[in-house]
Amino acid sequence: MRDLILGTAGHIDHGKTSLVRALTGVDTDRLPAEKQRGITIDLGFASLNLGEVRIGLVDVPGHERFIRNMLAGATGFDLALLVIAADDSVMPQTREHLEILKLLGLRSGLIALTKCDTAAEDWMDLVEEDARTLVAGTFLEGAPIVRTSAATGLGIDALRSTLARLAGSIPSVATDAPFRMAIDRCFTVAGHGTVVTGTVVSGGVSVGDDLEWLPEGRRLRVRGLHRHAQAVDRIERGARAAINLAGVHHSEIRRGQELATPGFLRASVVLSAALRASADAPRALRHRGRYRLHLGTAEVTASLSLLDGPELAPGLEGFAQFFLGEPVVAEYGQPFVIREESPPWTVGGGQILQPVARRIRRKDLGDRGRLSRLRSADPVDRASAVMGSYRLEAWSNLDLARDAGLAPDEVDRVAAEARASGELVDLPVGPRRTIRIVRSHLETLEDRVVRAVGRLHERNPRLSSVRRSSVLGMLSDLKSESLVGAVIDRLAKDGRLIANARTVALAGYQPQLTQAERRLKAELLDAHRGTGFAPPMAAELLDRAGNRREIVPELLDLLAEEGHLAAVEPRSLYLDVEADLELKRLVAERLGEGATLSMAELRDLLGTSRKYAVPIGEYLDRIGLTIREGDVRRLGSVAEEPLG
């Protein structure tokens, strides 16, 4: 049996609740205040079986003061039942409710004339004509109009059969999408705990599953499920659901929050949208104006940023961003409504284009163009625009499904097409980790790395190469050593850079040394090779250099900067890089499991003299491999990281 949601709409006192009771036998006015005052204040719920279709019926309040409640209930409607009293005809909230349904993207519905037992035939003909005029050009143009009376039962059977026919014509929706339900009520049940209700707008959930509670970001376990007061093991899209949750107190949950498949939705305070100003709005929408944004069951304060001008006149459309007073969750294409704060009136609505957005400046043509591409009916084009918006951020298939409006089975296909065309590149950033990045962003990043290496060459013209860590320092805004390293490796593979584990250089770069300086540099390196932990002191090398002695300290520093030597005591004592690696290995092994090492023990471990052991010990302290405590040393925190 298929599940669909039918929502009522219409002016106060036009008989919506009485009509629902006549259809279902359920009085949806559950609050004492509703029974005392004889009006619907909050949402009411009932169910109606129509053969192969099970209808979850949401009865909404008609009073203008409770439009916010009507909007909370309208999320997830598949069908709308516009109710017009035969003795009253079209009224203000009839028009506003219809405008809201249009803004929410409803595509199917019907019209019920109520209280037909109180009106003359010719008057009802006029009311029906008013209704046809009202809905002209909307999704209800040409929709069935059924004359009814809840008091006498007139037309109730005809209304049921019309609903069954309409429900059968609505296309089926796949239930393998990520689960999502906006919460409209929360309460506690003795012996069970916290229960939330809402309309399942996508996917399905089973008892025992974990769901993410948003925008809080906490995982909660499903203890039990009810559909229309019946316990069930699973609930899917189109159903009214009551979910018993473990791990949260009912006082923590409120209307406007959501439950979803973990990892599917992300909370955001900035949304990009395609916005339409209602044709009946009393004035144009204003850039930087404050409005109430209704999204799902949430209602939040929003500052409007129009991207096409200082205002949006009634009836016109444009791109916009909303800056919210509190975080919400959304997905691509989700409809929304905005209302004036005072006086409260529905003034516009549209569809979300970027559920997790960055601020867009009007002059940024790239971001504006991306919004245009997001309006495409082609899922590949939308996905391409979305992948470009991720820039260097890691993203999942769920992210792409949410942000591009893709079905789960489309994501892998779309990504594969982008990869095959070369638009999407898989970049390894670790032994078991790869990020997906759009080629244009990767090329920009590659150019930045090449320019950074070039600037380092300019600053250090005598260096044949520069340290990888120096390149990372030039690109500190990226905050990812693994990403920069992966780009360096890719550029080295392509022949644009020369790189090893420690250093990098532009391909073909020649250090600015004279031939004599290059020879001396090679001699200094040879003088250290094979000397272990007793290398020549810098003073000895100065004496050997004779009239070239002035350049020796700088050349030693160059060898250290290039990673050939390790500066144990700058300008005084250097170790060959292989000896430096062996030093770190020996000391780390000796100090394992809490052992300590005295200076004499360090000297003996290295097989050297105190002349070398003392500066080497200080060097080990300086790089964090050891920590000195009195006359002994123990292992430092840096030793927990891989050495070399």
Side-chain angles (χ1 to χ4, degrees), residues 4-165:
L4 296 174
I5 298 296
L6 169 69
T8 64
H11 196 74
I12 184 174
D13 202 30
H14 275 205
K16 295 186 295 297
T17 302
S18 297
L19 185 61
V20 170
R21 184 167 59 246
L23 275 171
T24 67
V26 176
D27 183 0
T28 55
D29 281 347
R30 54 188 170 79
L31 301 176
E34 291 176 318
K35 297 187 180 298
Q36 290 172 3
R37 298 169 64 181
I39 63 171
T40 299
I41 296 173
D42 204 355
L43 304 174
F45 308 99
S47 64
L48 178 65
N49 285 343
L50 297 173
E52 295 181 354
V53 178
R54 180 170 41 220
I55 296 289
L57 209 153
V58 181
D59 184 29
V60 305
H63 196 288
E64 63 177 342
R65 290 176 54 192
F66 306 124
I67 289 287
R68 60 194 301 182
N69 293 341
M70 179 269 179
L71 280 159
T75 183
F77 282 4
D78 296 300
L79 294 154
L81 176 60
L82 182 63
V83 176
I84 301 174
D87 63 349
D88 208 14
S89 193
V90 174
M91 296 296 285
Q93 266 55 64
T94 316
R95 298 181 183 279
E96 186 171 12
H97 280 209
L98 178 61
E99 177 66 11
I100 287 170
L101 295 175
K102 286 162 51 183
L103 293 170
L104 291 176
L106 266 289
R107 297 183 179 180
S108 184
L110 72 165
I111 301 167
L113 297 188
T114 56
K115 305 185 181 181
C116 288
D117 59 314
T118 65
E121 189 75 21
D122 57 347
W123 176 256
M124 286 191 288
D125 290 342
L126 292 173
V127 172
E128 192 167 315
E129 185 178 338
D130 286 346
R132 289 290 183 206
T133 301
L134 172 68
V135 302
T138 76
F139 71 99
L140 287 178
E141 183 172 12
I145 297 179
V146 182
R147 297 184 180 187
T148 69
S149 169
T152 67
L154 171 70
I156 300 302
D157 288 340
L159 183 59
R160 284 197 190 95
S161 61
T162 304
L163 280 172
R165 187 174 70 254

Side-chain angles (χ1 to χ4, degrees), residues 109 193 357 375 641:
R375 300 210 69 179
E641 304 173 1

Side-chain angles (χ1 to χ4, degrees), residues 184-207:
D184 52 42
R185 285 195 300 158
C186 179
F187 48 89
T188 185
V189 175
H192 295 277
T194 299
V195 176
V196 298
T197 68
T199 297
V200 180
V201 297
S202 67
V205 66
S206 301
V207 174

